[in-house]
Amino acid sequence: MSEKKIIAVVGATGAQGGGLVKAILADPDGGYAVRALTRDTTSPRAQELVKLGAEVVQADNYDPESLTAAFAGAYGAFLVTNFWAHMSADRELEEATNLAAAARAAGLKHVVWSTLEDTRDHIPAHDDRMPTLQDKYKVPHFDAKAEADELFTAAGVPTTFLRTTFYWENLATGWGATRDENGVLTLALPMGRAGWPASRSTTSGVRRTASSRPALPMSAGPCTSPGST
């Protein structure tokens, strides 16, 4: 077999990046090798990837030189940012700017940019049905990523724009149903009756799954185990 093409994965110790690293490693005949990028190569999660066979290198989205060095010699890259680390659209755009510039400088043949829709296409910034946040955004962690799409296009980087959906993992990390004092479980998310597309992100890359339709009303009675009274 010819030499494997290297895929550099940003956010390799996170949900999306970590899932992709493991998916590449699980397919030794796929023709690709993985280079896992992380800010701290000594962290337990980074060392777990080393044990699985990944090349782990240090890089920081706020350090353009470290990104360019980490991308050197790679065929392509998976790029992701974490809005929740700082809650700032401006900082997320700074990260995306650095990622696009580094991808161009390294001559990457293909990148996958994990982005989201621009909610202002549906509710403009001047529309008072929703508050405008951080001066010009309706949903900053969506809108800033969407704005950043143009950075990759302008840089001339061959890019796939990956727009994911809700993650099932969110239901286990604070977004799941809650039980009130009467034992009633409530899932307070606007799902609607048309279905609810969602993805898995942590085990085998970002994988789109079928829409989910609630079989019960949003607010259901106390849950009981089979055979209980």
Side-chain angles (χ1 to χ4, degrees), residues 146-164:
E147 276 192 8
D149 292 356
E150 177 58 29
L151 296 171
F152 295 92
T153 301
V157 177
T159 305
T160 294
F161 300 98
L162 173 65
R163 292 180 173 87
T164 60

Side-chain angles (χ1 to χ4, degrees), residues 171-198:
L171 297 177
T173 56
W175 290 35
T178 57
R179 192 188 302 274
D180 67 16
E181 64 274 10
N182 297 316
V184 175
L185 280 172
T186 300
L187 182 61
L189 288 170
M191 296 166 62
R193 299 191 63 81
W196 188 22

Side-chain angles (χ1 to χ4, degrees), residues 50-109:
V50 171
K51 293 177 182 177
L52 290 175
E55 175 192 4
V56 177
V57 301
Q58 193 280 331
D60 191 314
N61 285 357
Y62 297 105
D63 182 353
E65 291 185 0
S66 74
L67 291 173
T68 301
F71 291 163
Y75 171 84
F78 175 79
L79 311 178
V80 66
T81 54
N82 182 12
F83 175 87
W84 308 108
H86 44 67
M87 307 287 281
S88 167
D90 287 344
R91 293 196 67 185
E92 191 158 41
L93 284 167
E94 179 185 351
E95 291 182 71
T97 298
N98 292 339
L99 289 167
R104 178 178 181 177
L108 297 183
K109 304 299 184 184

